[in-house]
Amino acid sequence: MNLGVLDYGAGNLRSVLNAFTAIGYEAKLVTKPEQFGDIDVLVFPGQGAFGDSVRILKETGLWEPLRAWLKDEKPYLGICLGYQLLFESSEECPGVEGLGVAPGRVRKFDAAHGLKIPHMGWNKVTWAEDKPVWWKDIPNPAHLYFVHSYYPDVADDSLALCLTDYGVPFVAGIAKANLMAVQFHPEKSQEIGLKLLKNAVEHLATTL
């Protein structure tokens, strides 16, 4: 199975590549549109602003292959920005359309609640009982590592993989047969994060 990690020049992806190596998989970076044809599972661990990321993906020619990949329901694993871009829009960048794979909008945490923004550090995640294939052998709840200022307001509750709370309850991850995407960083979440990545890769492999 060939894992491809989408790289459009934003952020250091070494920790993600190292995490896959730790669970027995070698992943390669995808930097050009033609490389989509060489992979089985697409991993998008992006970071940065919603609008800037859309612009860069379009400028580098990666936006349309990414959209086509998701439209064709090929195996996809999204982390952080790779989760948020699945939605229709974001308060971070009004007027910029997301990928629209999942219904809903990305919203900003309200600092008026006394919250420190960004939401940074470990937080409790409660898994959805109807999606055990993704979190098998992982405690429920579990603690995972977050770094973000915006969160998806998910319009379809049936997609919810897990929930957390930071001043407001929100869906910290979604999943369906060919796709898992999470707001937290599995690659920074020690053993539990690595186990989640392993579960995800092994399940996505069954959809090929």
Side-chain angles (χ1 to χ4, degrees), residues 186-205:
E187 78 281 7
K188 298 179 181 179
S189 297
Q190 301 178 359
E191 290 184 12
I192 289 176
L194 293 179
K195 180 59 181 173
L196 182 66
L197 288 178
K198 191 171 190 296
N199 287 347
V201 170
E202 291 178 351
H203 177 67
L204 290 170

Side-chain angles (χ1 to χ4, degrees), residues 34-112:
E34 55 267 28
Q35 292 176 301
F36 280 77
D38 300 328
I39 62 173
D40 301 309
V41 177
L42 178 64
V43 183
F44 185 176
Q47 62 184 32
F50 190 100
D52 287 345
S53 300
V54 171
R55 176 182 55 79
I56 295 170
L57 285 165
K58 289 180 177 180
E59 288 176 352
T60 55
L62 297 171
W63 181 256
E64 288 304 324
L66 173 59
R67 287 185 63 194
W69 186 277
L70 291 163
K71 182 179 180 181
D72 292 342
E73 297 187 344
K74 294 181 178 180
Y76 177 90
L77 173 59
I79 299 171
C80 196
L81 189 66
Y83 174 39
Q84 293 188 1
L85 283 181
L86 294 178
F87 294 88
E88 296 163 313
S89 63
S90 174
E91 290 181 351
E92 185 177 17
C93 301
V96 177
E97 291 186 3
L99 292 161
V101 174
R105 188 182 187 198
V106 179
R107 302 188 182 280
K108 187 171 185 177
F109 287 116
D110 188 351

Side-chain angles (χ1 to χ4, degrees), residues 15-182:
S15 60
V16 177
L17 296 175
N18 289 342
F20 283 118
T21 300
I23 61 173
Y25 293 92
E26 293 301 320
K28 60 183 179 181
L29 296 178
V30 174
T31 60
K32 300 177 182 178
E34 55 267 28
Q35 292 176 301
F36 280 77
D38 300 328
I39 62 173
D40 301 309
V41 177
L42 178 64
V43 183
F44 185 176
Q47 62 184 32
F50 190 100
D52 287 345
S53 300
V54 171
R55 176 182 55 79
I56 295 170
L57 285 165
K58 289 180 177 180
E59 288 176 352
T60 55
L62 297 171
W63 181 256
E64 288 304 324
L66 173 59
R67 287 185 63 194
W69 186 277
L70 291 163
K71 182 179 180 181
D72 292 342
E73 297 187 344
K74 294 181 178 180
Y76 177 90
L77 173 59
I79 299 171
C80 196
L81 189 66
Y83 174 39
Q84 293 188 1
L85 283 181
L86 294 178
F87 294 88
E88 296 163 313
S89 63
S90 174
E91 290 181 351
E92 185 177 17
C93 301
V96 177
E97 291 186 3
L99 292 161
V101 174
R105 188 182 187 198
V106 179
R107 302 188 182 280
K108 187 171 185 177
F109 287 116
D110 188 351
H113 292 161
L115 302 175
K116 290 185 178 180
I117 300 175
H119 170 210
M120 182 181 297
W122 298 87
N123 204 345
K124 183 171 72 173
V125 170
T126 302
W127 304 105
E129 296 288 350
D130 65 337
K131 295 180 174 62
V133 65
W134 300 100
W135 54 275
K136 63 180 180 179
D137 301 324
I138 294 175
N140 189 17
H143 283 79
L144 294 122
Y145 191 84
F146 291 80
V147 183
H148 62 122
S149 300
Y150 294 80
Y151 67 95
D153 184 0
V154 181
D156 183 355
D157 291 339
S158 71
L159 294 174
L161 169 65
C162 53
L163 304 174
T164 195
D165 192 297
Y166 192 65
V168 60
F170 67 94
V171 176
I174 61 172
K176 52 185 181 178
N178 65 298
L179 175 151
M180 185 185 86
V182 294

